[in-house]
Amino acid sequence: MMNKNTLIALGLASAISFGASNAALAADPHAPLPPRLKWTFSGPFGHYDKQQLQRGFKVYREVCQACHSLKLVAFRTLGQAGALGFTEGQIKTLAGEYQITDGPNDRGEMFQRPGRPSDYFPPIFANEQAARATHNGALPVDLSVIAKARTYEVGFPGFLIDIVRQYQENGVDYLHALLTGYENPPAGEQLTPTQFWNKYFPGNRISMRPPLEDKRVEYTDGSPQTVDQYARDVTAFLMWAAEPHLDQRKRIGFQVMIFLIVFAGLAYFTKKKVWASAH
Amino acid sequence: MSGPSNFKPKSAFLQWTERRLPILGLMHSSFVAYPTPRNLNYWWTFGGILSFCLGVQIITGIVLAMHYTPTVVGAFDSVEHIMRDVNFGWLLRYVHANGASMFFIAVYIHIFRGFYYGSYKEPREILWILGVIIFLLMMATAFMGYVLPWGQMSFWGATVITNLFSAIPGIGPKVVEFLWGGYSVDQPTLQRFFSLHYLLPFMIAGVVVLHIWALHEVGQNNPAGIDVKSDKDVVAFTPYATAKDNFAMVCFMIFFAWFVFYIPNYLGHADNYIPANPLQTPTHIVPEWYFLPFYAILRAIPSKLGGVIAMFASIAVLAFLPWLDRAKTRSAKYRPLFKQFFWIFVICCIGLGWLGAKPAEGGYVIASRILTAYYFIHFFVILPLLSYYEKPSPVPASIAESVLGNQPLAPAKVKGSR
Amino acid sequence: MAKSTTMNGDQPTRRDFLYIATGAMGAVGAAAAAWPLIHQMNPDASVQALASAEVDLSPVQEGQIITVKWRGKPVFIAHRTKKEIEEAKATPLRDLPDPQPDDARVKKGKEQWLVLVGVCTHLGCVPLGHQGDYKGFFCPCHGSHYDTSGRIRKGPAPLNLEVPPYEFASDTMVRIG
């Protein structure tokens, strides 16, 4: 009979293919796997921790922002539901601290003005060439969707289990690992002065200097001022930047699931009743 | 779609319209009175599920097109605009993106169900070939849709797949320039892909109508693989099949929603969240999961033209299946040898899918070649030979007997809903 | 569901309830699923947050009307002459189809500045300045005449030209929106 066996086989088939296609992204099969961390936003009831996002945003502003832009994120979104919980006034003040290029004005010239909530985080460099020129040829990437643009390979059967336990935090795991993964190169490995050794970076040679160090950013809520904590917080913030509607998605998802399960139950008994008369 | 109907509406107004446009009668005969074999199991519900998938893709697609910008500078950002600003934009995009995968999951189950129960055999050849055409159109649509977000995988997937046509001797390079509208994948390519991605689903819908028409002309196959002989063998489509399809569809929606709401990016590639960069190829490019078996066949052949031919042949061969497998017995239930080879073939396809995602090197290449060879051997050697040498087990005299004879509650007790 | 009567069964009530519940649930689900498909057409978050426009008034001469864009629409900023202000103030309210005194349409102490959304209240065309029977605004599409306060006087338009929300950031700087 083409019943359970088929189901399992086809399920495995599709699952293996999915996992394999994702798996293909890890460039270096010898790199260690990033450790999986506990994230408040993982799982069916996951949601962002406002305090953590605010701390992460502070780290972004005081460290990452020197080189990395966030150009798809608008200031106004910092205050929307499931975000950092900033008030309208706070967002206005914050936006005003950035200079936005606007124009042309009546004389046909572009000009600088303070940001408004409807503006987006401005680019750090005028263009890609300018960015590379100041970074020895390396390009500091935009961080707007970075948390979804990175991942690592999960072998068999882990990637199947991830479907069931809804684990989709590979991107943030990797980012945290990268930020904390700097170390001295193994004996015999030569680095140029603009390269650094990172055990999680594909190929290990990374052009970004270790960005974090203990006590570099001041926390006012008593959280530990360590590289590990900074990395967790800024990564959580970047996850929010990449997926600002995650809270809403999971909340609606739960409602949809409850609805569908009840509906499936009703549909099942309806089907049974209908077919009862066929025998 | 199954002949003249004796349907007569009660109200005088509807009788008036019905004499002029018998659409209610058509609906009634196609989806209410239409007789379905009473022994259909849950594998037969995927036809309805596929219609649902097509509907979801068309509706969400039309809506997304209201916000999407098909330009190389604006496409990536417009998708992010949908994700961030458009009301429920994230939901619509995730449904559409995951909907493509759901569509293929359902269509593969549908196809393998056809393999197993011999649904391609006489008199259902045209029905089957229409299905192969739908499958091809689906692949084209999915491929072009994946290009639209203009991420790295979009760009390089488009480059690699369009370059397949450069293998055509002599005119290949010209054909590729024609497809691109330039000398590389660029603005003209993106814009025409958007246009065609919008068009093709409606062509699919058209062929689906033909597919259902042909189905209703010849009647459904069934797990016993024997023809309907009397009224005792069938039940009315409504309420029996509708109630069953409905339950299966809701279960499918649960599976669908699981991906959309909880792991919406699981089936995609992280690299596609990096904007397209024509100067840098991602280190390892792979197509979406549903193309992987064919991609493995492409790479297994150590010749450019040969690989392309093998890949297209692996799809085209499906259309010839009714004439490759000449066995009179349809259902694998009564074909002990065929049943075993069916499962080997399933494993072969899974293996090809797995290899399609692996780098083309070392043992993977050898394995791909073995499985590719087996794929074609299955169609060109095993099936024809089985047709002549296999001794089928006896089939039941009628569908009613197969259901009611020894297991009084068979249809309701069939396991394996998903 | 009517067809339930054609089936045999000993508990018609319970069965009918089941069918109705299933059908109702399906209908509710379909309606809920339709909402995102409809709501996506409403102005999105980026549109709603569209910036206010700031305009420097210092180059605008007396008697001149400039047009600026705000929320995709034209906004007229008229630097009115003494005569125009007098005319606007002197018009009796009973002569107006949409009665509104001039000082309700300008900021106190800034009566020379008239700020209007430049969209005819008839069917959305852009009126022309310093034209028409009242030398205010005239809509060429269907012949609506507005006075020097932007109030409708003659023609098919039902309402006065809309005054957008605005404030003076300084004597020569106005912020619309």
Side-chain angles (χ1 to χ4, degrees):
Chain A
M1 287 298 286
M2 186 168 166
N3 292 331
K4 267 190 185 141
N5 290 342
T6 330
L7 184 73
I8 293 164
L10 290 175
L12 271 177
S14 27
I16 285 174
S17 312
F18 307 155
S21 61
N22 271 333
L25 286 155
D28 183 2
H30 309 298
L33 281 187
R36 289 196 155 180
L37 305 182
K38 268 191 131 54
W39 300 100
T40 62
F41 45 83
S42 72
F45 303 108
H47 56 86
Y48 292 121
D49 170 359
K50 280 188 174 53
Q51 288 301 315
Q52 184 178 37
L53 295 190
Q54 290 187 10
R55 291 195 304 269
F57 181 50
K58 197 162 193 279
V59 176
Y60 167 77
R61 295 237 295 159
E62 293 177 21
V63 183
C64 319
Q65 191 177 243
C67 304
H68 292 280
S69 56
L70 206 57
K71 65 187 169 114
L72 295 172
V73 179
F75 297 119
R76 61 184 153 79
T77 58
L78 294 166
Q80 73 193 11
L84 281 67
F86 284 173
T87 64
E88 212 170 309
Q90 283 173 309
I91 291 170
K92 269 197 175 135
T93 315
L94 178 93
E97 292 170 17
Y98 290 81
Q99 285 296 310
I100 306 290
T101 307
D102 202 347
N105 62 15
D106 295 342
R107 289 183 298 282
E109 292 153 357
M110 303 303 280
F111 58 92
Q112 298 280 309
R113 59 161 175 81
R116 303 175 190 135
S118 60
D119 288 318
Y120 291 75
F121 279 85
I124 313 289
F125 302 99
N127 48 55
E128 185 184 328
Q129 285 74 7
R132 285 188 191 276
T134 44
H135 292 88
N136 303 302
L139 176 70
V141 294
D142 183 82
L143 297 183
S144 307
V145 284
I146 197 77
K148 292 196 285 190
R150 295 290 182 272
T151 189
Y152 55 88
E153 178 169 1
V154 182
F156 179 85
F159 69 87
L160 292 177
I161 297 167
D162 282 356
I163 297 180
V164 178
R165 58 181 289 231
Q166 305 178 347
Y167 198 84
Q168 204 177 38
E169 279 65 42
N170 301 10
V172 275
D173 286 340
Y174 171 79
L175 292 181
H176 170 270
L178 184 85
L179 290 171
T180 55
Y182 286 89
E183 54 187 28
N184 290 324
E189 297 281 1
Q190 292 297 316
L191 296 175
T192 69
T194 59
Q195 286 182 334
F196 305 89
W197 191 265
N198 191 307
K199 64 177 165 177
Y200 295 109
F201 187 68
N204 298 117
R205 290 176 166 77
I206 188 167
S207 302
M208 176 169 77
R209 69 177 62 249
L212 300 170
E213 60 202 55
D214 289 351
K215 299 208 168 40
R216 173 153 179 190
V217 178
E218 196 188 346
Y219 280 166
T220 50
D221 65 352
S223 299
Q225 300 181 166
T226 59
V227 169
D228 178 70
Q229 189 63 37
Y230 292 152
R232 283 169 196 262
D233 294 347
V234 77
T235 301
F237 168 72
L238 291 175
M239 186 68 219
W240 170 81
E243 189 78 6
H245 295 298
L246 180 143
D247 280 19
Q248 192 192 11
R249 165 158 65 76
K250 295 203 172 183
R251 198 183 60 242
I252 294 178
F254 184 68
Q255 294 161 353
V256 168
M257 280 292 170
I258 296 291
F259 174 87
L260 285 177
I261 288 165
V262 173
F263 190 25
L266 279 173
Y268 175 72
F269 286 112
T270 299
K271 186 252 160 197
K272 249 183 104 164
K273 281 270 189 239
V274 166
W275 279 81
S277 60
H279 302 298
Chain B
M1 290 174 197
S2 46
S5 164
N6 48 13
F7 174 73
K8 197 159 192 250
K10 284 200 184 76
S11 95
F13 172 72
L14 289 179
Q15 282 174 18
W16 184 88
T17 56
E18 194 64 8
R19 276 198 304 280
R20 286 152 182 85
L21 178 71
I23 191 166
L24 293 175
L26 180 69
M27 290 295 145
H28 186 266
S29 63
S30 301
F31 302 112
V32 181
Y34 175 69
T36 59
R38 65 187 307 145
N39 60 340
L40 296 187
N41 58 30
Y42 273 103
W43 299 109
W44 260 265
T45 61
F46 281 88
I49 288 170
L50 283 163
S51 316
F52 167 76
C53 288
L54 179 62
V56 167
Q57 290 306 88
I58 288 181
I59 290 170
T60 53
I62 288 172
V63 159
L64 288 169
M66 296 179 186
H67 304 280
Y68 169 77
T69 317
T71 66
V72 296
V73 287
F76 189 90
D77 288 0
S78 75
V79 171
E80 280 302 315
H81 165 66
I82 290 169
M83 292 295 292
R84 289 159 192 275
D85 291 335
V86 173
N87 304 314
F88 289 110
W90 57 268
L91 175 61
L92 298 166
R93 179 183 171 237
Y94 278 153
V95 168
H96 197 71
N98 285 283
S101 283
M102 296 301 138
F103 207 157
F104 275 96
I105 290 171
V107 90
Y108 281 131
I109 293 174
H110 193 64
I111 292 171
F112 277 93
R113 191 267 288 150
F115 283 156
Y116 188 85
Y117 294 110
S119 298
Y120 47 86
K121 287 170 192 273
E122 193 279 320
R124 298 185 179 83
E125 297 94 333
I126 291 186
L127 171 63
W128 175 260
I129 291 170
L130 288 167
V132 175
I133 293 171
I134 293 171
F135 180 50
L136 271 174
L137 287 171
M138 276 176 65
M139 293 174 97
T141 310
F143 160 65
M144 288 193 265
Y146 196 60
V147 175
L148 302 184
W150 211 242
Q152 273 290 65
M153 281 295 178
S154 300
F155 183 88
W156 292 102
T159 302
V160 168
I161 301 298
T162 48
N163 263 315
L164 291 179
F165 294 91
S166 70
I168 304 169
I171 58 166
K174 282 284 164 215
V175 172
V176 176
E177 280 177 14
F178 167 77
L179 292 175
W180 287 342
Y183 302 106
S184 66
V185 173
D186 209 333
Q187 178 62 44
T189 327
L190 173 60
Q191 205 156 342
R192 66 188 56 181
F193 276 19
F194 178 54
S195 170
L196 293 172
H197 181 70
Y198 207 121
L199 168 70
L200 286 184
F202 296 97
M203 293 178 62
I204 293 176
V207 185
V208 166
V209 170
L210 298 181
H211 190 67
I212 296 173
W213 186 8
L215 172 73
H216 285 201
E217 194 58 36
V218 295
Q220 277 161 300
N221 186 28
N222 60 79
I226 51 180
D227 290 332
V228 170
K229 287 175 184 132
S230 73
D231 283 352
K232 268 190 278 179
D233 290 346
V234 295
V235 289
F237 189 86
T238 300
Y240 296 98
T242 28
K244 196 162 177 172
D245 280 357
N246 182 48
F247 172 58
M249 211 175 298
V250 177
C251 292
F252 187 78
M253 284 186 221
I254 293 175
F255 179 73
F256 194 158
W258 187 274
F259 280 86
V260 168
F261 290 103
Y262 295 125
I263 44 174
N265 294 306
Y266 184 85
L267 298 168
H269 297 116
D271 271 350
N272 224 27
Y273 279 106
I274 303 171
N277 179 357
L279 304 181
Q280 191 179 35
T281 308
T283 43
H284 188 138
I285 71 167
V286 279
E288 289 288 83
W289 69 267
Y290 36 82
F291 294 138
L292 287 173
F294 304 102
Y295 192 61
I297 291 173
L298 169 78
R299 297 192 308 179
I301 312 291
S303 132
K304 185 170 172 180
L305 181 59
V308 173
I309 290 175
M311 188 183 77
F312 283 111
S314 67
I315 304 164
V317 67
L318 300 176
F320 299 96
L321 188 52
W323 296 277
L324 292 168
D325 175 9
R326 307 299 297 264
K328 289 276 171 283
T329 310
R330 292 197 189 100
S331 173
K333 254 169 127 173
Y334 309 108
R335 298 183 63 190
L337 275 177
F338 173 84
K339 189 196 278 186
Q340 290 175 23
F341 281 107
F342 169 84
W343 288 112
I344 296 171
F345 181 69
V346 169
I347 292 164
C348 169
C349 292
I350 295 169
L352 281 169
W354 180 68
L355 290 165
K358 290 288 165 190
E361 58 194 32
Y364 296 134
V365 176
I366 298 165
S368 301
R369 290 187 185 152
I370 294 170
L371 291 188
T372 300
Y374 184 81
Y375 183 95
F376 287 104
I377 288 171
H378 177 79
F379 285 107
F380 289 112
V381 181
I382 294 172
L383 290 183
L385 286 180
L386 281 180
S387 314
Y388 291 102
Y389 293 107
E390 186 182 29
K391 196 172 172 303
S393 44
V395 298
S398 75
I399 291 173
E401 186 197 291
S402 82
V403 176
L404 305 173
N406 39 12
Q407 305 165 274
L409 286 173
K413 288 287 182 193
V414 169
K415 284 172 284 180
S417 73
R418 36 197 353 268
Chain C
M1 290 207 173
K3 47 185 149 312
S4 62
T5 54
T6 62
M7 279 175 276
N8 62 4
D10 43 0
Q11 293 165 302
T13 323
R14 218 173 88 192
R15 191 186 55 211
D16 284 350
F17 172 75
L18 185 62
Y19 295 160
I20 290 165
T22 309
M25 198 126 183
V28 168
W35 174 238
L37 297 168
I38 296 163
H39 188 42
Q40 53 86 20
M41 301 250 278
N42 282 320
D44 66 47
S46 63
V47 172
Q48 285 174 5
L50 252 195
S52 50
E54 287 192 358
V55 185
D56 180 11
L57 300 176
S58 51
V60 185
Q61 304 294 319
E62 197 175 288
Q64 195 186 356
I65 301 175
I66 63 162
T67 307
V68 296
K69 201 163 136 187
W70 172 70
R71 287 190 171 177
K73 290 186 287 198
V75 168
F76 297 146
I77 302 177
H79 192 169
R80 298 192 293 182
T81 59
K82 288 253 155 26
K83 182 164 166 275
E84 286 172 332
I85 299 169
E86 292 307 316
E87 278 175 17
K89 282 188 192 293
T91 308
L93 287 185
R94 63 174 182 279
D95 288 359
L96 299 171
D98 179 16
Q100 201 178 19
D102 184 61
D103 52 11
R105 297 174 58 78
V106 293
K107 302 277 186 224
K108 201 168 167 59
K110 296 275 186 190
E111 282 86 357
Q112 72 272 38
W113 296 109
L114 177 67
V115 181
L116 300 169
V117 175
V119 175
C120 180
T121 57
H122 180 218
L123 292 171
C125 294
V126 179
L128 306 166
H130 297 311
Q131 290 197 24
D133 295 356
Y134 301 87
K135 292 285 170 259
F137 300 87
F138 171 68
C139 182
C141 290
H142 307 98
S144 293
H145 300 256
Y146 298 90
D147 65 13
T148 55
S149 187
R151 293 172 298 196
I152 183 65
R153 300 298 289 273
K154 199 171 132 185
L159 298 172
N160 303 335
L161 289 176
E162 185 194 343
V163 178
Y166 69 94
E167 60 187 16
F168 283 89
S170 71
D171 268 2
T172 58
M173 182 70 80
V174 67
R175 186 185 299 119
I176 304 164

